[in-house]
Amino acid sequence: VPTVTAVIPSSVADALRDAVSTRGSSLDSVVTTALEQHFGTNRHRAYQYSTSAALVQGVASGGTRSRDLLAHGDFGLGTFEHLDGEMIVLEGQPYQALGDGTVKRREDEFRVPFAIVCRFLADDTFDVQSADSLDALELACDPHRESDNLFYALRVDGTFEHVHTRAVRRAADGITLLAAAEGQPEFHLNALDGTLVAIWSPRYSSSFSIPGYHFHFISSDRTKGGHVLGCSGNHLHVRLQVLTEYDVRLPESGTFLKKDLSGDTKAVLGKVE
Ligand SMILES: [Zn+2]
């Protein structure tokens, strides 16, 4: 990842410092977002590391460096080494929702075995007056997706009556996703403000992505979160971004190179993701 040194006016430096602190984001992320918006680059690009099929087969050690991942996006979801929790990336900041129900804000450098990120910039905005289930929320979002053959990022903010989450607990090396997801801790959160971070992927993408909607949740106070199994809420504000460029980076070393990834992962992904 290149490093840029530039001389800028102190007024711009002040604004930059303010943006970093108010967004709870990193300097790298704020500067990259600003430059990308200025030059109009990566407006519809998603960046993914590794594949869902590899994750299903338990390829969850090592991975890309968090700093490299976050250079490609400020919004997204994924997992951690040894499936130790659910990743939520929001406003450039990665959070780790752990199996004990806590959420850790990660500011250190760590490895990411699987994640999808983008530079979030909404193409469409709408409100969902009421959704009494996750299915109802998905149905309300469906008409805003122009195609079943493109990818989408969705950000849903609001007060949730109920959010049912799961957070995978650290698994032994090489254990499959199905085995790891069995008997994982689930949480029922009531009446709280927060954000759903979602990626919608086409059906044809099941060998590398997770077809359909994939929601992760993080509360506004950043203390609760996880992979979403169900939710309900009123007056939800939805922002949607179309993703027409999809950059998949594959691990160049480790178990990814030897695993048999030829099987159909649709059934397992439907069950656990
Ligand atoms: Zn998930």
Side-chain angles (χ1 to χ4, degrees), residues 158-163 189-194 217 219-221 224:
T159 301
F160 294 84
E161 275 166 26
H162 180 77
V163 187
L189 314 170
N190 291 307
L192 78 175
D193 289 347
F217 174 79
S219 62
S220 294
D221 64 5
K224 293 180 182 75

Side-chain angles (χ1 to χ4, degrees), residues 146-190:
E146 193 189 353
S147 170
D148 283 341
N149 299 327
L150 299 175
F151 290 79
Y152 292 88
L154 297 99
R155 173 178 174 156
V156 184
D157 292 282
T159 301
F160 294 84
E161 275 166 26
H162 180 77
V163 187
H164 178 194
T165 63
R166 174 204 76 196
V168 175
R169 226 184 255 133
R170 188 188 167 94
D173 237 5
I175 200 163
T176 64
L177 187 61
L178 187 61
E182 257 166 35
Q184 284 301 318
E186 295 181 12
F187 305 94
H188 290 274
L189 314 170
N190 291 307

Side-chain angles (χ1 to χ4, degrees), residues 46-119:
Y47 178 92
Q48 179 180 312
Y49 183 78
S50 193
T51 69
S52 56
L55 196 65
V56 163
Q57 291 299 325
V59 180
S61 58
T64 190
R65 286 186 314 194
S66 55
R67 195 180 173 162
D68 292 338
L69 177 76
L70 296 169
H72 292 277
D74 56 10
F75 178 94
L77 39 83
T79 189
F80 292 84
E81 269 205 282
H82 313 292
L83 305 173
D84 190 14
E86 313 282 343
M87 184 189 293
I88 301 108
V89 179
L90 187 58
E91 293 167 355
Q93 180 62 51
Y95 299 92
Q96 182 175 19
L98 290 153
D100 64 2
T102 63
V103 171
K104 224 192 243 175
R105 177 181 167 139
R106 295 292 298 259
E107 306 201 64
D108 53 330
E109 175 87 2
F110 57 93
R111 292 277 169 179
V112 181
F114 176 82
I116 306 154
V117 292
C118 65
R119 266 306 141 209

Side-chain angles (χ1 to χ4, degrees), residues 77-78 86-87 166 210 214-216 226-228 272-273:
L77 39 83
E86 313 282 343
M87 184 189 293
R166 174 204 76 196
I210 296 150
H214 183 187
F215 288 98
H216 283 193
H227 172 91
V228 176
V272 300
E273 284 294 353

Side-chain angles (χ1 to χ4, degrees), residues 138 199-203 205 210-214:
E138 293 181 358
I199 299 288
W200 188 91
S201 305
R203 235 175 228 266
S205 70
I210 296 150
Y213 291 94
H214 183 187

